[in-house]
Each structure stands twice: as C-alpha cells, then as structure tokens.
Amino acid sequence: MSRAARDGSLSRDELRAFCLEFNAVTEEFPFNPETSVFKVVGKVFALTALDAEPLKVSLKCDPDEAIRLRAAHPQIVPGWHLNKRHWNTVTVAGLPGGTVRELVEDSYDLVVAGLPKAERLRLDRP
C-alpha cells in the first residue's frame, strides 16, 4: 500500500489528474522535463515536480488565507521561488486528499477570477 493510500493524501497520478479536470487547463514543462506547470488560459495555477519525494505542489492563494493556512498546517509554507504573499507550497503527504483538492480548486478559481470577463464566461465561471 502506498503512503498516499495509507494517510488519505493524493497520489502523484491523482494530483495530476485533478489539476487537468478543470476547464481549459494545459500542462506544460517550461522549466525542465520534471516540473509540471498547470495553466488556465495561459495563467499558472499549480506547479509540481510529480516525481519529487515528498510530493509538493505550489498553489496561488489569497494573501490572508495563505497566512491562516500556514499557521494551521505545517505542510503549508510560503511558495518556494514564488511571490510568498500570493503562493503557498503544499507538502501533499499528511494532508487529507480533500484538503489538497480544495486548495487546488481555490488556486484555479483565483486565477480565473483575474481573467477578462469574456474568458471567465467561456469557462462558465462568472
């Protein structure tokens, strides 16, 4: 049984599949072949090295919420090599899969909210 299955966290394959479920998402590798960058309409909402141990994902976050999450979860720290006010890096192990999914969805929604209205409507997210 994998660690992800034991602690209820997401596996690498589940994290990747979940990121790709959202409307208009692409997976790109602009930095190196190991780092997956998930974008919606060309804007980044998640970055991860899917082969890294432990599995981590960097996600956009509302600045006030980012501070609250960091205080509540030792697995959530300021975004590594990113604007620490707006990005968190999340160690997936030890967090319930539902929590990680919520953080990914919040990141996607935050990026979509910054898109032009026509793009938001095309994505069915006014």
Side-chain angles (χ1 to χ4, degrees):
M1 179 180 284
S2 73
R3 176 188 289 165
R6 285 194 305 271
D7 69 13
S9 61
L10 293 180
S11 71
R12 299 165 204 305
D13 292 340
E14 290 169 329
L15 176 61
R16 181 177 182 271
F18 187 68
C19 287
L20 291 170
E21 283 180 11
F22 297 98
N23 290 338
V25 169
T26 58
E27 180 181 22
E28 300 176 12
F29 301 87
F31 305 116
N32 58 50
E34 295 83 33
T35 305
S36 293
V37 178
F38 298 94
K39 296 180 176 184
V40 54
V41 191
K43 302 289 185 185
V44 177
F45 75 93
L47 299 97
T48 183
L50 290 169
D51 291 337
E53 184 61 44
L55 178 61
K56 296 179 181 183
V57 60
S58 293
L59 301 165
K60 193 152 189 168
C61 191
D62 170 80
D64 293 332
E65 181 69 2
I67 292 167
R68 188 193 67 73
L69 288 166
R70 293 171 196 162
H73 303 283
Q75 302 92 335
I76 301 176
V77 298
W80 190 67
H81 284 300
L82 296 163
N83 182 327
K84 295 177 181 2
R85 180 168 155 75
H86 296 278
W87 289 85
N88 282 334
T89 296
V90 177
T91 302
V92 174
L95 283 177
T99 300
V100 176
R101 283 184 177 91
E102 285 178 26
L103 296 172
V104 170
E105 185 171 7
D106 288 349
S107 180
Y108 176 87
D109 288 344
L110 195 56
V111 171
V112 168
L115 295 173
K117 184 175 182 179
E119 290 291 343
R120 290 193 314 269
L121 292 174
R122 189 175 68 78
L123 296 170
D124 293 328
R125 297 213 178 219

